[in-house]
Amino acid sequence: MKTPVAVVGASGYTGAELLRLLADHPRVEVVALCAERAAGQRIDRVFPHLGGRLDLDIDPLDPDRLAERAEVVFCALPHGQSARAAAALLERGRLVVDLSADFRLRDPAVFGAWYGEHPHPELLDRAVYGLPELHRHALAGARLIASPGCYPTAAILALAPLLARGLVSARGLIVDAKSGVSGAGRSPSAATHFPEVGEGVRAYKVAGTHRHTPEIEQELSRVAGAPVELTFTPHLVPMSRGIFSCAYAAPTEGVRGEEELRAALAEAYAGEPFVVVLEDGLPDTSHVRGSNRAQVAVRHDARAGRVLAMSAIDNLVKGASGQAIQAMNLAMGWPETEGLLGAAIFP
Amino acid sequence: MKTPVAVVGASGYTGAELLRLLADHPRVEVVALCAERAAGQRIDRVFPHLGGRLDLDIDPLDPDRLAERAEVVFCALPHGQSARAAAALLERGRLVVDLSADFRLRDPAVFGAWYGEHPHPELLDRAVYGLPELHRHALAGARLIASPGCYPTAAILALAPLLARGLVSARGLIVDAKSGVSGAGRSPSAATHFPEVGEGVRAYKVAGTHRHTPEIEQELSRVAGAPVELTFTPHLVPMSRGIFSCAYAAPTEGVRGEEELRAALAEAYAGEPFVVVLEDGLPDTSHVRGSNRAQVAVRHDARAGRVLAMSAIDNLVKGASGQAIQAMNLAMGWPETEGLLGAAIFP
Amino acid sequence: MKTPVAVVGASGYTGAELLRLLADHPRVEVVALCAERAAGQRIDRVFPHLGGRLDLDIDPLDPDRLAERAEVVFCALPHGQSARAAAALLERGRLVVDLSADFRLRDPAVFGAWYGEHPHPELLDRAVYGLPELHRHALAGARLIASPGCYPTAAILALAPLLARGLVSARGLIVDAKSGVSGAGRSPSAATHFPEVGEGVRAYKVAGTHRHTPEIEQELSRVAGAPVELTFTPHLVPMSRGIFSCAYAAPTEGVRGEEELRAALAEAYAGEPFVVVLEDGLPDTSHVRGSNRAQVAVRHDARAGRVLAMSAIDNLVKGASGQAIQAMNLAMGWPETEGLLGAAIFP
Amino acid sequence: MKTPVAVVGASGYTGAELLRLLADHPRVEVVALCAERAAGQRIDRVFPHLGGRLDLDIDPLDPDRLAERAEVVFCALPHGQSARAAAALLERGRLVVDLSADFRLRDPAVFGAWYGEHPHPELLDRAVYGLPELHRHALAGARLIASPGCYPTAAILALAPLLARGLVSARGLIVDAKSGVSGAGRSPSAATHFPEVGEGVRAYKVAGTHRHTPEIEQELSRVAGAPVELTFTPHLVPMSRGIFSCAYAAPTEGVRGEEELRAALAEAYAGEPFVVVLEDGLPDTSHVRGSNRAQVAVRHDARAGRVLAMSAIDNLVKGASGQAIQAMNLAMGWPETEGLLGAAIFP
């Protein structure tokens, strides 16, 4: 029998992507959808692309009713709201995979500095950061999963093996990332109006003001065993999906060349089902669209004495919904790749 | 045990899309890839997006060797070449699904007028036109399938039920279609160079010069029971995938309104797994991207006395590779939807 | 001395485009900008692309003050509002070029049916439809100019010469047009959110429901000397600027071939500075971006007995702001091309 | 009387952009076009967007004939070819503005290392690097102008004032730049085929392998008075025009905050007609499209101790053809802004 799952916040892009992927997952059945905005509508009114695939109505959020029906609940609500929903569902014994920022930062003070007071700080300790490549063991049996941000996923996957092996310095890291517009969500705004975005590139929330900064720092500090302070620059580019991240780091003293760096990535990700280490080519977001795979590559700029750690992911899949399902698979004790092996859509 | 299948012409976009879909098909295993251009390379060199998903080398085309290994062969070669490969494989007892134009036109004279002399006219009678919605019964047990063109699929799905029921006239049909650039194939050209295509719309091969014209006419004439002569206008729009087709037809005398037209579509496609009849909204190529579904809708312009039959498909899926697999499923006696139910990727 | 001009509705796209063009116009000086939304801001806050080019603050609309300062006023407000502003400025003796729909339809009943009651029906007779290629003489000395809609401009330029010479029938006309997203204005909405628009084509307001329908009918009826009832289908394509229009018409009896049709366009537009009749190629919106030129071409589909009249314009220039300036030039007795000769921006 | 000018290499994108701008320049007349590929054709066959604006045939390159007709010659040929054409024209007494890389690097050894042996090393000393913001005085009266590369223009404009004032260190500079596809030229290739580029971001020629690296280093070293070794990472994004550059630098010891950095840019560019220093917003390539203006901004990441120097230009205008005309204006002793003041096209 299939495990009943629900999606809360089903009217946003990560919600839609959860539904696309869960509909093909052999071990689950989507039994309930919640979204305040669209309550009462059939899902294909909100997302016509799901027409013919999923036939469910959207309900308002009612934790009691939800806990009765679903065993696993994905929360894709705005931060703050998501924590409250998660708390209610946890209390009712459900496995919660939270896609908001609410449980990603372990330190309530750091959370407070970036997002304001946490509604449920007591839960922070129980949450497991849902990046399987770093936290696979902790995810087995987890009951509250903090699914990572899209930019952090891209940056961490490229840098972690190099920091873990001491090949690059934890100091002076720079992450210059370029994202498609779906990362801004589904609410229309001047900044995401088609003619304002088309044929243009721009940076935004630069110089330590983007909220993904402390999340990247937290995880990289853990891996490096030393505090990381990051310069993080997000950019918006005229495409719907995808993040390309280029991180700059200083090689540590012993590093002799590119081979050593490549070997570190290859070794770190040898058994990983969703990380493709590129040897010759460079990552390209158009090669991971719709897929849970990340492409990573490293280069050594010998002239300037610098290491480049690059990655490409689909921000809605490996950067959000696919990764959330990957974490659920681990938490449930299922094969990690269940429902997630589909190739990227190209072109 | 899985049925071994091969893809000939694996280095083009329809080849890549076949591989993406076949890799998820539960009843087949891709055992061989052929492509002259890329022979000797691993598929992820030619298509990095398949890296981590498919690990196969590309071979030059050798019918004997291919027939030994595969039971079903998809031919996605340029026209002329495809017929020769198909003939060789048919002779060796293989099921051939041909994605070129070589077997789509039943009349060798019509083929000759549009493409030049047919290399194997004797095979035209054996080919079944692979549009399951019109030829489902003939496809069961077929050994040579002529997979339809992308524009014909879009136009026919919207118009056929109206013509079949005599609701619109077979005379004076117009099809105005808008396609993404992947329809032009993977070979670079001035016409598909990014800066020449971006931010622009243009018509091409207008006024009865596009080779999909006779194919649409053939199938609609059959359905209408009367000769159809079509004005077909293809356009190129700045996107990679998708066809939006708007057909204009004159309602026949008895037609009383839009309800009757909608009912005809609804009835015709009631049991169809891959045709979504929209009641309120209009088709949108972004709602079928990556999916084998077609969206269709009909409207009655009462002021001007005109019927609009609209559709949206993914040119590489329902307009090519997905449909080819759908036809294979029927020919093999498998469930028609096997491997094809995946939702569209949106956004 | 330069003529002082003002732009009312300066915070929208047609406003911005007026400013770009007027800043280079040798006979005028922009002295005032109005826009309720953005009043009090400097124009480069609202439109950073004008930074370094234009240094003006935006004021709230005050007809007295405006009439004191400017001799010519461009009104680019939403319909209804625009008529009221125009009336106030006309009364104060100013030349008004109105870019809304308020003065385009001559018949108050037709206006009422499509837009609701007209706030100033008494002015309809005084307005001149600002398509210079059809109304050049009437524009000389005009005091109230109704600048045409973008779709009507594209459709009329391609069809008018053929209808005027009786080469195509006034009955059964179809206009299938494809527009960039800037045509929807600058207000964000779900329908213009980047990820919803990108990589997709869709029709909207089909089957006689788009408000540009009666405007096209009015002008073509006048030219044809017979009532035109049109099927008009607008589409949205993923680009910011441009309209490609393909009109379908039945050739009249005597028409012998394409040459005759081409000659009609060539003759009609022989002296026109802004209409380029293409002989070999087909129109392409990317070849008119930023320019006041229209490309037109005609083809005869001899197989199906149909005439195709195609055109491409920049919806914000020849379809709005450039054309408004062209009309002002005529009304002021200046050279028609003043300030408008700039080549298109390609790519 | 207007000065007769010619464009050699008129069939590429920089050639087209020169023609668009020169056609509006009040002091020159384009009298000759050369391009091997397209010789014998009228320019509007090669560039339909110039139809109705420019009526000239393309000739094969003949220095004698060219020198007879034109006083100023813009060379936009591939490197190597361009130097040979320039040498021939210089010898015949013409002012040469060269848009290739041939005269940008002052040191023949550096040129050799990146491009191979220089065909005319004796000319390197005579060439003036055509970035007016740095070399205005030298450009007055220059006879051979080396028009800068697009990436160098973007990077140098943002960094030069900070280096010149000693506010950032010359060591450890990083330039992460994102370019539209027109930067790759007009020749079709797999890497610029629309479906391969659309909806994707990728880096290319990373880690010290892109030929613009030594050019940036040369100019920044001069400004800094110390050798600069740069990490330069170019990216391709799905748009036709524009470069967004984000440079990372270490603040020098005395730097107290962002105000000081902003003041440096404001002061450096106070009188500059084509550099817009943004105070609040950030640069955006869509705000400089078609314009000769550069937007620059600086931010201080106080958390991580890093300076960000950002810029946006149109790669074909300020990054190529517009800047070349700006340099010609200076060399000819004309007002620097002649023919170049046009606002950007937005959206």
Side-chain angles (χ1 to χ4, degrees):
Chain A
M1 222 202 63
K2 294 192 171 187
T3 299
V5 305
V7 173
V8 174
S11 64
Y13 289 142
T14 50
E17 198 64 356
L18 282 165
L19 297 178
R20 175 176 79 87
L21 294 167
L22 291 169
D24 284 344
H25 193 293
R27 303 209 184 212
V28 306
E29 187 183 352
V30 181
V31 296
L33 310 178
C34 300
E36 291 306 327
R37 251 192 317 197
Q41 295 186 50
R42 215 170 60 186
I43 186 66
D44 65 357
R45 284 300 173 95
V46 177
F47 284 117
H49 74 285
L50 296 174
R53 183 63 182 133
L54 207 70
D55 186 7
L56 275 172
D57 288 336
I58 301 178
D59 300 319
L61 175 57
D62 174 343
D64 281 325
R65 200 163 138 58
L66 208 56
E68 264 170 44
R69 296 161 74 191
E71 210 167 296
V72 181
V73 181
F74 293 89
C75 284
L77 293 172
H79 68 87
Q81 291 177 41
S82 218
R84 278 181 282 268
L89 291 157
L90 270 176
E91 206 175 290
R92 285 159 181 79
R94 297 298 149 231
L95 165 58
V96 174
V97 186
D98 187 81
L99 287 93
S100 82
D102 280 345
F103 301 104
R104 295 174 187 161
L105 298 173
R106 310 192 67 80
D107 182 339
V110 175
F111 186 93
W114 289 85
Y115 293 93
E117 202 180 343
H118 199 288
H120 288 282
E122 77 282 2
L123 295 177
L124 289 181
D125 272 354
R126 295 180 52 191
V128 179
Y129 190 73
L131 190 65
E133 290 75 12
L134 293 192
H135 298 272
R136 184 164 284 120
H137 292 300
L139 285 166
R143 300 304 295 166
L144 173 58
I145 295 166
S147 209
C150 50
Y151 285 122
T153 298
I156 296 166
L157 288 176
L159 282 168
L162 306 175
L163 284 165
R165 283 157 182 76
L167 298 171
V168 299
S169 168
R171 303 195 46 193
L173 290 177
I174 293 171
V175 172
D176 187 294
K178 300 89 185 169
S179 174
V181 187
S182 64
R186 206 186 187 196
S187 297
S189 73
T192 57
H193 187 49
F194 186 92
E196 309 276 319
V197 172
E199 283 283 304
V201 180
R202 63 220 48 104
Y204 67 102
K205 292 189 189 154
V206 303
T209 61
H210 193 286
R211 284 166 163 174
H212 283 174
T213 311
E215 185 182 340
I216 306 174
E217 289 178 347
Q218 166 185 289
E219 293 299 310
L220 292 184
S221 297
R222 209 185 53 81
V223 164
V228 163
E229 270 190 344
L230 191 73
T231 295
F232 170 52
T233 311
H235 296 76
L236 205 63
V237 298
M239 62 183 191
S240 289
R241 289 185 180 226
I243 288 179
F244 185 96
S245 175
C246 184
Y248 299 93
T252 45
E253 274 198 20
V255 174
R256 277 178 309 270
E258 201 161 281
E259 269 322 295
E260 196 174 352
L261 301 162
R262 291 182 190 226
L265 284 193
E267 183 192 295
Y269 294 127
E272 287 296 341
F274 295 119
V275 184
V276 177
V277 181
L278 299 178
E279 295 200 5
D280 297 318
L282 294 175
D284 185 331
T285 64
S286 73
H287 295 155
V288 294
R289 185 166 46 237
S291 143
N292 197 49
R293 287 180 189 80
Q295 291 184 329
V296 298
V298 66
R299 290 291 182 277
H300 184 227
D301 185 346
R303 290 178 74 256
R306 184 85 55 177
V307 172
L308 283 73
M310 292 165 280
S311 54
I313 61 168
D314 183 321
N315 59 309
L316 295 180
V317 188
K318 184 60 179 167
S321 307
Q323 183 147 266
I325 293 171
Q326 188 183 352
M328 170 193 71
N329 287 341
L330 289 165
M332 296 294 286
W334 298 334
E336 184 173 345
T337 59
E338 204 81 306
L340 293 172
L341 284 176
I345 295 220
F346 175 85
Chain B
M1 222 202 64
K2 295 193 172 186
T3 298
V5 304
V7 173
V8 174
S11 64
Y13 289 142
T14 50
E17 196 64 357
L18 282 166
L19 297 178
R20 177 177 75 89
L21 295 167
L22 291 169
D24 284 344
H25 194 293
R27 305 211 183 210
V28 306
E29 188 185 352
V30 181
V31 295
L33 309 179
C34 301
E36 292 306 326
R37 250 191 318 197
Q41 293 186 51
R42 217 171 60 188
I43 187 65
D44 66 355
R45 285 300 173 95
V46 177
F47 285 117
H49 73 286
L50 296 174
R53 181 65 183 132
L54 207 68
D55 186 8
L56 275 171
D57 288 335
I58 301 179
D59 301 319
L61 174 57
D62 173 343
D64 282 325
R65 202 164 136 58
L66 208 57
E68 263 170 45
R69 296 161 74 191
E71 211 167 296
V72 181
V73 180
F74 293 88
C75 285
L77 294 173
H79 69 89
Q81 291 178 42
S82 219
R84 277 181 283 269
L89 290 158
L90 270 177
E91 206 175 291
R92 285 160 181 78
R94 296 299 149 233
L95 166 58
V96 174
V97 187
D98 186 82
L99 287 94
S100 82
D102 280 345
F103 301 104
R104 294 174 188 161
L105 298 174
R106 310 193 68 79
D107 182 339
V110 174
F111 186 92
W114 290 85
Y115 293 93
E117 204 180 343
H118 198 290
H120 288 282
E122 76 283 2
L123 293 178
L124 290 181
D125 272 354
R126 294 179 53 189
V128 179
Y129 191 74
L131 190 65
E133 289 76 11
L134 294 192
H135 298 272
R136 185 165 283 119
H137 293 301
L139 284 166
R143 301 303 294 166
L144 173 58
I145 295 168
S147 209
C150 49
Y151 285 122
T153 298
I156 295 166
L157 287 175
L159 282 168
L162 306 176
L163 284 166
R165 282 156 183 76
L167 297 171
V168 300
S169 168
R171 302 195 46 193
L173 291 175
I174 293 169
V175 172
D176 187 293
K178 300 89 185 168
S179 175
V181 187
S182 64
R186 207 186 186 195
S187 297
S189 72
T192 56
H193 188 49
F194 186 91
E196 310 276 318
V197 172
E199 284 283 302
V201 180
R202 65 223 44 110
Y204 67 101
K205 291 190 188 154
V206 302
T209 61
H210 193 285
R211 284 166 162 173
H212 283 174
T213 311
E215 185 181 339
I216 305 174
E217 289 178 346
Q218 164 185 293
E219 292 299 309
L220 292 184
S221 297
R222 209 184 54 80
V223 164
V228 163
E229 272 191 343
L230 191 74
T231 296
F232 170 53
T233 311
H235 296 75
L236 204 64
V237 300
M239 62 183 190
S240 289
R241 288 185 180 225
I243 289 180
F244 186 95
S245 175
C246 185
Y248 298 94
T252 46
E253 275 198 19
V255 175
R256 279 179 307 271
E258 201 161 283
E259 270 323 296
E260 197 174 351
L261 300 162
R262 290 182 190 227
L265 284 193
E267 185 192 294
Y269 294 127
E272 287 296 342
F274 295 118
V275 184
V276 178
V277 181
L278 300 178
E279 294 201 5
D280 298 319
L282 293 176
D284 185 331
T285 63
S286 73
H287 295 155
V288 294
R289 184 167 47 237
S291 143
N292 198 49
R293 286 180 189 78
Q295 291 185 327
V296 298
V298 65
R299 289 292 182 276
H300 185 225
D301 185 345
R303 290 177 75 257
R306 186 84 55 179
V307 172
L308 283 73
M310 291 165 281
S311 53
I313 61 168
D314 183 322
N315 59 308
L316 295 180
V317 188
K318 184 61 180 167
S321 306
Q323 183 148 266
I325 293 170
Q326 189 183 350
M328 171 193 70
N329 287 342
L330 289 166
M332 297 295 286
W334 298 335
E336 184 173 345
T337 59
E338 204 81 308
L340 293 172
L341 284 175
I345 295 221
F346 176 85
Chain C
M1 223 201 66
K2 294 193 172 186
T3 299
V5 305
V7 173
V8 175
S11 65
Y13 289 141
T14 51
E17 197 64 357
L18 282 166
L19 297 178
R20 177 177 76 87
L21 295 167
L22 291 169
D24 284 344
H25 194 293
R27 303 208 184 214
V28 306
E29 188 184 352
V30 182
V31 296
L33 308 179
C34 301
E36 292 305 327
R37 250 191 318 196
Q41 294 187 51
R42 216 171 59 187
I43 187 64
D44 66 355
R45 285 301 174 94
V46 177
F47 284 117
H49 73 285
L50 296 175
R53 181 66 182 130
L54 206 69
D55 186 6
L56 276 171
D57 287 337
I58 300 179
D59 301 318
L61 175 57
D62 174 342
D64 282 325
R65 201 163 137 58
L66 208 57
E68 262 170 45
R69 297 161 74 191
E71 211 167 295
V72 180
V73 180
F74 293 89
C75 285
L77 294 171
H79 69 88
Q81 290 178 42
S82 218
R84 277 181 283 266
L89 291 158
L90 270 177
E91 205 174 291
R92 285 158 180 80
R94 298 297 151 234
L95 165 57
V96 174
V97 186
D98 187 81
L99 287 93
S100 82
D102 279 345
F103 301 104
R104 294 175 187 160
L105 298 174
R106 309 193 68 79
D107 182 340
V110 174
F111 186 92
W114 290 86
Y115 293 94
E117 202 179 345
H118 198 288
H120 288 282
E122 77 283 3
L123 294 177
L124 290 181
D125 272 353
R126 293 180 54 192
V128 179
Y129 190 74
L131 190 65
E133 288 77 11
L134 294 192
H135 297 272
R136 184 165 284 118
H137 293 301
L139 284 166
R143 300 302 295 164
L144 174 57
I145 295 167
S147 209
C150 50
Y151 285 123
T153 298
I156 295 167
L157 287 177
L159 282 168
L162 306 176
L163 285 166
R165 284 158 182 75
L167 297 171
V168 300
S169 168
R171 304 194 46 193
L173 290 176
I174 293 169
V175 172
D176 186 293
K178 301 88 186 170
S179 175
V181 188
S182 65
R186 206 186 188 197
S187 298
S189 73
T192 57
H193 188 50
F194 186 92
E196 309 276 319
V197 172
E199 284 283 302
V201 181
R202 62 219 50 103
Y204 68 100
K205 292 191 189 154
V206 302
T209 61
H210 193 285
R211 284 164 162 176
H212 283 174
T213 311
E215 185 182 340
I216 306 174
E217 289 178 346
Q218 165 184 292
E219 292 300 308
L220 292 185
S221 297
R222 210 185 53 80
V223 164
V228 163
E229 272 191 343
L230 191 73
T231 296
F232 171 52
T233 311
H235 296 75
L236 205 65
V237 299
M239 62 184 190
S240 289
R241 289 184 179 226
I243 289 180
F244 185 96
S245 175
C246 184
Y248 298 93
T252 45
E253 274 200 18
V255 175
R256 277 179 309 273
E258 202 161 282
E259 270 323 296
E260 197 175 351
L261 301 162
R262 289 182 191 226
L265 283 193
E267 186 193 293
Y269 294 127
E272 288 295 341
F274 296 119
V275 184
V276 178
V277 181
L278 300 178
E279 293 200 7
D280 298 319
L282 293 175
D284 185 331
T285 63
S286 73
H287 295 154
V288 294
R289 185 167 46 237
S291 144
N292 198 49
R293 287 181 188 79
Q295 292 185 328
V296 297
V298 65
R299 289 291 182 278
H300 184 225
D301 186 345
R303 289 177 75 256
R306 185 85 54 179
V307 172
L308 282 73
M310 291 165 280
S311 54
I313 61 168
D314 183 321
N315 58 309
L316 295 179
V317 188
K318 184 61 180 167
S321 305
Q323 184 148 266
I325 292 170
Q326 188 182 353
M328 171 192 71
N329 287 341
L330 289 165
M332 297 294 286
W334 298 334
E336 184 173 343
T337 58
E338 205 79 309
L340 293 172
L341 284 176
I345 295 221
F346 176 84
Chain D
M1 222 203 64
K2 294 193 171 185
T3 299
V5 305
V7 173
V8 174
S11 64
Y13 289 142
T14 51
E17 197 64 358
L18 281 166
L19 297 179
R20 177 176 78 86
L21 295 166
L22 291 170
D24 284 345
H25 195 292
R27 304 209 183 212
V28 306
E29 188 185 351
V30 181
V31 296
L33 309 178
C34 302
E36 292 305 326
R37 250 192 315 197
Q41 294 187 50
R42 216 171 59 188
I43 186 65
D44 66 356
R45 286 299 175 95
V46 176
F47 284 118
H49 74 285
L50 296 174
R53 183 64 183 132
L54 206 71
D55 186 7
L56 276 171
D57 288 335
I58 301 179
D59 300 319
L61 175 57
D62 174 342
D64 281 324
R65 201 165 136 58
L66 208 56
E68 264 170 45
R69 297 162 73 191
E71 211 166 295
V72 181
V73 181
F74 293 89
C75 285
L77 294 172
H79 69 88
Q81 291 177 42
S82 219
R84 276 181 284 265
L89 291 158
L90 271 177
E91 206 176 290
R92 286 159 180 80
R94 297 299 149 232
L95 166 58
V96 174
V97 186
D98 187 80
L99 288 93
S100 82
D102 280 345
F103 301 103
R104 295 175 187 161
L105 298 174
R106 311 192 67 79
D107 182 339
V110 174
F111 186 92
W114 289 86
Y115 293 93
E117 202 180 344
H118 198 288
H120 288 281
E122 76 283 1
L123 295 177
L124 290 180
D125 271 354
R126 294 179 53 190
V128 179
Y129 190 73
L131 191 66
E133 290 76 12
L134 293 192
H135 297 273
R136 184 165 285 121
H137 293 300
L139 284 166
R143 300 303 293 165
L144 174 57
I145 295 167
S147 209
C150 49
Y151 285 122
T153 298
I156 295 166
L157 288 176
L159 282 168
L162 306 175
L163 285 165
R165 282 154 183 78
L167 297 171
V168 300
S169 168
R171 301 195 48 193
L173 291 177
I174 293 170
V175 172
D176 186 293
K178 302 87 184 171
S179 173
V181 187
S182 64
R186 207 187 186 194
S187 297
S189 72
T192 57
H193 188 48
F194 185 92
E196 309 276 319
V197 172
E199 285 282 303
V201 180
R202 62 220 50 105
Y204 67 102
K205 291 190 188 153
V206 302
T209 61
H210 193 284
R211 284 166 162 173
H212 283 175
T213 310
E215 185 182 339
I216 306 174
E217 290 178 345
Q218 166 184 291
E219 293 300 309
L220 293 184
S221 297
R222 209 185 53 83
V223 164
V228 164
E229 271 191 343
L230 191 73
T231 295
F232 171 51
T233 312
H235 296 75
L236 204 64
V237 300
M239 62 184 191
S240 289
R241 286 185 181 227
I243 289 180
F244 185 96
S245 175
C246 184
Y248 299 94
T252 46
E253 272 199 21
V255 174
R256 277 179 310 272
E258 201 161 282
E259 270 323 296
E260 196 174 353
L261 300 163
R262 291 180 189 227
L265 283 194
E267 185 192 294
Y269 294 126
E272 287 296 341
F274 295 119
V275 183
V276 178
V277 181
L278 300 177
E279 294 201 6
D280 298 319
L282 293 175
D284 186 330
T285 63
S286 73
H287 295 156
V288 294
R289 185 167 46 237
S291 143
N292 198 49
R293 287 180 189 79
Q295 292 184 329
V296 298
V298 66
R299 290 290 182 278
H300 185 224
D301 185 346
R303 291 177 73 256
R306 185 85 55 178
V307 173
L308 282 73
M310 291 165 281
S311 54
I313 61 167
D314 183 322
N315 59 309
L316 295 180
V317 188
K318 184 61 179 167
S321 305
Q323 183 148 268
I325 292 170
Q326 188 182 352
M328 170 192 72
N329 287 341
L330 289 165
M332 297 294 286
W334 298 335
E336 184 173 344
T337 58
E338 204 81 307
L340 293 172
L341 284 176
I345 295 219
F346 174 84

